[in-house]
Amino acid sequence: MNTIVERKIRGFISLTSHAVGCAKAVDEQIAYVKSQGKFNGPKNVLVIGASTGYGLASLITTVFGANAKAIGVFFERPADDKRTASAGWYNAAHVEQAALASGHYVKSINGDAFSDDIKLQAIDLIRRDLKQVDLVIYSVASPRRIHPVTGEIFSSVLKPIGQDYCNKTVDAFRGEVKDVTLPSATDSEIANTVAVMGGDDWERWIDFLTEARVLAPHVVTVNYSYIGPDLTHPIYKDGTIGQAKAHIKRVASKLNHKLQHLQGEAVISVNKAVVTQASAAIPVVPLYISLLFKVMKEKGTHEGCIEQMLRLFKNRLYGAEKDQRDAEGYIRLDDFEMDPAVQAKIAALWPQINNANLAELTDIEGYRRDFYRLFGFDMADVDYTQPIETAVGIPSLLESVQV
Ligand code: NAD
């Protein structure tokens, strides 16, 4: 459908996405990676959760920075006659188009990564085109999971544990700072969140791939985590999502044993807080991110997904900083965020933030801009008054339909 696409935000959800703007945002990430030069990295990559945020940046970095061949798995919605596609759909379509235009290999699988069927589809595609993969990135962020064996539906919650938690939060689009009280999670809510966002599905993917013998010797598998400062611990690190992240750590240890026969490794990278669909849903965190951006931009250390993923793959996983891990074995890409000088400034400013000084003390404008850009809005050089084609195809998915 050829139509003018306007921005429509409800809460922290965008009801529309702009195909041309999403393509531009992908192009910016590709251009950044190319500007930093080639590096020796993985050869064949599987990215689970490849269409937005850290997963998309991981795929772009390994393909356009290290000439890797990549298969991306994601769960996105194509356009229909009433709605635009989801932003991740447009991102994936454009990554494939950019890859085709420059002689790179990128193919996609769209469906529920938690299901066995999608795992088997990925294995078929690996066998057909790549034979084996030497890097498996797990970057799924989802509010629910249907268990592939029991059919049970788990929903994750973002809640504190042990006691209710009250702090400031922001409605970024109304520019309103307000107090929020979050009730403490029940045991079943904790278990459900771990079932969705913990490491169970990561382990199942690695088990399936191992069984199918499509993991190369010295394979590396990476999952992403977040720790953050004391300020957000009750809702993040010590909350339900933190329990899920503690679970991926235990799974990483298990996977390290399971991958021994290949001399493979399972590793967790602790990334910086950035604006993505996943982080926008967490109470308190958007206000923290707005303040963090202000302080890090002033200091000249601000990064988005793509800058961090380049540091991860070029330096920390395949480069000179290969052995840089913290005492817990994590790769710490949040080092600039956790800089004591940055955190001291945030801790001092946090109690002062109110409606009147929000724009001055924080980078709420930058937060909003990053949020709009997730959906292809607010991009320079895009004329949003012009009609665009909303029904954009993903080349490899069109191909598989024709076969
Ligand atoms: P995101 O919302 O931008 O991306 C989620 C991806 O998962 C998308 O590609 C989506 O299509 C895919 N997905 C969701 N459900 C799926 C399903 N059922 N099947 C297949 N694919 C599915 O998320 P993000 O913020 O990039 O988060 C990725 C990881 O990074 C998470 O583990 C998150 O905790 C971690 N992380 C995020 C931040 C942050 O600030 N955003 C910071 C540190 C770590």
Side-chain angles (χ1 to χ4, degrees), residues 275-288:
V275 184
T276 65
Q277 297 178 51
S279 68
I282 311 175
V284 183
V285 167
L287 185 58
Y288 165 74

Side-chain angles (χ1 to χ4, degrees), residues 56-72:
L56 174 67
S58 305
L59 184 137
I60 290 175
T61 302
T62 51
V63 170
F64 295 92
N67 289 336
K69 294 180 178 176
I71 295 171

Side-chain angles (χ1 to χ4, degrees), residues 23-40:
K24 283 251 176 225
V26 165
D27 279 340
E28 278 186 5
Q29 294 198 40
I30 295 174
Y32 172 76
V33 170
K34 284 186 173 167
S35 75
Q36 303 300 302
K38 293 280 180 204
F39 63 95
N40 283 326

Side-chain angles (χ1 to χ4, degrees), residues 156-280:
S156 68
V157 297
L158 293 156
K159 287 189 176 178
I161 294 174
Q163 54 186 15
D164 298 356
Y165 169 60
C166 181
N167 208 333
K168 287 180 201 183
T169 191
V170 70
D171 180 329
F173 306 104
R174 293 209 171 102
E176 276 172 23
V177 180
K178 51 190 179 188
D179 284 336
V180 61
T181 301
L182 301 157
S184 153
T186 63
D187 287 347
S188 95
E189 286 175 325
I190 299 169
N192 272 269
T193 306
V194 172
V196 180
M197 286 298 287
D200 188 51
D201 187 54
W202 183 26
E203 185 174 359
R204 293 190 97 252
W205 268 97
I206 298 301
D207 287 348
F208 268 67
L209 297 166
T210 304
E211 175 84 1
R213 296 176 185 271
V214 292
L215 295 178
H218 305 284
V219 65
V220 175
T221 182
V222 197
N223 204 326
Y224 298 136
S225 190
Y226 181 69
I227 295 176
D230 290 349
L231 177 65
T232 61
H233 280 181
I235 186 62
Y236 202 98
K237 178 174 164 286
D238 299 336
T240 48
I241 182 73
Q243 287 297 307
K245 295 301 184 189
H247 187 255
I248 68 167
K249 181 145 191 298
R250 295 195 292 278
V251 167
S253 306
K254 267 168 97 180
L255 292 179
N256 272 316
H257 286 290
K258 289 186 174 185
L259 292 173
Q260 261 171 7
H261 69 291
L262 294 168
Q263 290 171 284
E265 189 190 13
V267 64
I268 296 170
S269 171
V270 179
N271 301 343
K272 166 185 183 270
V274 290
V275 184
T276 65
Q277 297 178 51
S279 68

Side-chain angles (χ1 to χ4, degrees), residues 279-338:
S279 68
I282 311 175
V284 183
V285 167
L287 185 58
Y288 165 74
I289 291 181
S290 307
L291 188 49
L292 177 73
F293 280 17
K294 172 89 169 180
V295 176
M296 291 184 79
K297 283 179 185 174
E298 279 171 4
K299 215 169 183 280
T301 55
H302 176 71
E303 291 180 321
C305 291
I306 197 70
E307 291 85 358
Q308 282 182 83
M309 292 302 97
L310 189 70
R311 276 208 289 140
L312 174 63
F313 295 108
K314 187 175 183 174
N315 307 341
R316 298 289 179 90
L317 272 172
Y318 295 95
E321 298 164 8
K322 203 172 169 357
D323 298 321
Q324 251 186 49
R325 305 283 160 90
D326 73 3
E328 307 266 329
Y330 291 125
I331 295 177
R332 299 300 295 261
L333 287 182
D334 64 341
D335 40 5
F336 300 148
E337 171 178 357
M338 299 312 288

Side-chain angles (χ1 to χ4, degrees), residues 360-373:
E360 182 201 335
L361 291 191
T362 76
D363 184 27
I364 191 73
E365 203 45 57
Y367 179 92
R368 266 187 221 123
R369 184 172 153 268
D370 277 9
F371 185 85
Y372 295 147
R373 287 166 60 103

Side-chain angles (χ1 to χ4, degrees), residues 96-159:
E96 275 204 23
Q97 278 152 9
L100 278 173
S102 54
H104 290 98
Y105 172 103
V106 175
K107 294 212 171 164
S108 308
I109 293 175
N110 186 39
D112 183 3
F114 297 131
S115 71
D116 290 353
D117 178 47
I118 289 295
K119 292 178 177 71
L120 296 173
Q121 281 187 38
I123 287 167
D124 281 351
L125 189 56
I126 294 168
R127 280 198 178 124
R128 195 189 78 189
D129 289 1
L130 309 179
K131 310 290 178 247
Q132 290 189 320
V133 287
D134 55 348
L135 175 63
V136 179
I137 297 158
Y138 191 90
S139 188
V140 172
S142 173
R144 70 198 271 280
R145 171 179 177 215
I146 302 174
H147 195 280
V149 177
T150 63
E152 199 177 339
I153 299 176
F154 303 106
S155 293
S156 68
V157 297
L158 293 156
K159 287 189 176 178

